[in-house]
Amino acid sequence: MKTLEWLARWIWPLIRPFVSRQKRCARCILTRDLVDGLCGECRTTAARAAATVQPLVKAPVDLDTLQEAIILLSGGKDSAYLLDRVRREHPKLTITCVLVNTGFMSPIAIENAVSIAARTHTELVIINSHINEFKAVLRNAFLELCATKKESYGIVDYAEGELIYDIGKRFAAGRPILSGLTHAQLNHIEKEGDRDSFLFPLDWWRVSEEEIRSANLVSGTPATTNSLLILPMLILDIKHHGHTSFEKEFAQLIREGKADRKTWLYPFELLEFLVTRGFLDRDLERSLKTLDLTQKELLCSHT
């Protein structure tokens, strides 16, 4: 993924004018339902001010009213920003960070979590006891992805997230849990899980992605994923549907003025180019092997 990010930033802008690619919305990055250069979302929401959008989950909570809380730390930029800001703005709040190791986490993500916890003088608990459970759940999720012909965001990513949340709830034992899910991420979760125990400050704050990225709280490049399964999810989405299910999240951020269009346009264009020409087939096979799956198994129902 870091190689892809480097290529998207430095090489793709030079060669993209000479490469055939799908047309995308002139305002965001979506490829579907284009009319006069704009997707359906941009045509219907162009006049809506981002500031009028209300929190999706629940009303903001004054964190100063809490004595202690759990923060689910993933090693990514969002949860790192959450921890840093809560530490600065609510210094009396006792925080314990929890990282649930799925067995498919990037080593950089784990290093980031350890680093940001140490930097903010916060206790970090790493839970490694559910790795086999994650493998079984995620393997079944990929097979469901194939059987239902649905996109990976609502199936694989959801299954992983729900198991992380369930483990986090058991660890918290009734204490409030702060999650680093953003407004855009919550907006694109297709299924409704049990959120009663969770607080989503990034949904309340509506911080721009550029502000989170510029905080520079993680050692990896800002867009680096914290999961080794993101790449096969992206590849399979493009092979199945011609686009990735993650594009909707970043398109919303761009639409609301909270992310730069080129920051996400170029990586998704590059992925489309590489996947449709078979350049990432070996990477897909290697990734799926960790789940005892093959590309043939997951593409059979789409051919």
Side-chain angles (χ1 to χ4, degrees):
M1 289 299 295
K2 293 196 70 171
T3 301
L4 287 173
E5 289 163 7
W6 185 87
L7 290 171
R9 182 176 181 181
W10 299 107
I11 305 300
W12 181 246
L14 302 177
I15 66 175
R16 66 185 293 272
F18 309 102
V19 174
S20 174
R21 59 190 187 279
Q22 290 189 87
K23 291 183 178 179
R24 293 178 180 267
C25 177
R27 182 164 291 146
C28 65
I29 56 174
L30 297 183
T31 59
R32 284 89 73 203
D33 189 26
L34 298 182
V35 176
D36 295 329
L38 296 179
C39 68
E41 287 291 328
C42 283
R43 293 198 305 275
T44 58
T45 63
R48 184 190 306 166
T52 65
V53 181
Q54 299 299 312
L56 289 168
V57 179
K58 58 183 69 175
V61 172
D62 183 357
L63 298 182
D64 283 330
T65 64
L66 305 179
Q67 292 184 333
E68 59 178 328
I70 303 297
I71 289 184
L72 291 179
L73 204 59
S74 68
K77 63 185 186 303
D78 295 330
S79 63
Y81 178 88
L82 171 64
L83 171 59
D84 180 73
R85 180 164 170 175
V86 171
R87 265 287 184 229
R88 287 186 286 104
E89 297 184 358
H90 308 278
K92 294 182 180 180
L93 178 61
T94 300
I95 299 171
T96 301
C97 287
V98 175
L99 184 148
V100 180
N101 186 3
T102 67
F104 298 96
M105 294 190 68
S106 160
I108 293 177
I110 296 176
E111 292 174 9
N112 286 341
V114 172
S115 174
I116 188 64
R119 198 180 316 159
T120 56
H121 307 287
T122 307
E123 178 187 5
L124 172 63
V125 177
I126 300 178
I127 300 177
N128 295 308
S129 54
H130 297 270
I131 289 177
N132 289 336
E133 186 178 358
F134 273 102
K135 182 174 181 178
V137 166
L138 289 169
R139 186 178 191 279
N140 288 335
F142 270 98
L143 289 171
E144 182 183 352
L145 185 70
C146 173
T148 62
K149 300 186 180 181
K150 291 185 177 180
E151 297 177 342
S152 61
Y153 201 115
I155 302 296
V156 180
D157 203 50
Y158 176 86
E160 181 183 59
E162 284 302 288
L163 183 51
I164 290 173
Y165 274 30
D166 181 62
I167 294 167
K169 282 173 58 179
R170 281 180 266 165
F171 177 88
R175 290 171 288 180
I177 305 170
L178 277 57
S179 165
L181 287 181
T182 66
H183 179 86
Q185 290 167 337
L186 290 166
N187 193 43
H188 294 290
I189 293 176
E190 295 181 6
K191 303 177 184 178
E192 193 77 16
D194 177 11
R195 297 171 175 170
D196 290 343
S197 303
F198 297 89
L199 302 175
F200 301 92
L202 294 182
D203 182 30
W204 315 332
W205 297 335
R206 303 301 307 280
V207 186
S208 73
E209 188 194 27
E210 295 307 310
E211 182 177 340
I212 293 176
R213 291 163 69 96
S214 65
N216 196 27
L217 297 169
V218 295
S219 59
T221 54
T224 301
T225 175
N226 57 12
S227 171
L228 299 177
L229 295 180
I230 291 293
L231 183 59
M233 292 165 65
L234 293 169
I235 295 172
L236 288 170
D237 271 350
I238 293 174
K239 285 180 176 288
H240 290 163
H241 308 288
H243 59 267
T244 80
S245 52
F246 292 84
E247 293 174 30
K248 292 182 288 187
E249 172 191 334
F250 300 108
Q252 179 180 337
L253 290 171
I254 294 166
R255 199 175 299 122
E256 295 179 357
K258 295 184 178 299
D260 177 70
R261 182 173 183 265
K262 288 184 179 180
T263 298
W264 294 109
L265 174 66
Y266 290 171
F268 285 120
E269 282 185 340
L270 176 60
L271 272 169
E272 176 195 326
F273 170 78
L274 294 174
V275 172
T276 55
R277 289 159 177 78
F279 291 122
L280 296 180
D281 283 353
R282 289 185 179 180
D283 298 272
L284 177 59
E285 288 289 357
R286 282 195 295 267
S287 297
L288 293 177
K289 190 175 181 180
T290 63
L291 292 168
D292 300 323
L293 291 170
T294 66
Q295 181 177 176
K296 185 177 180 181
E297 287 179 275
L298 298 187
L299 294 176
C300 59
S301 65
H302 291 260
T303 57

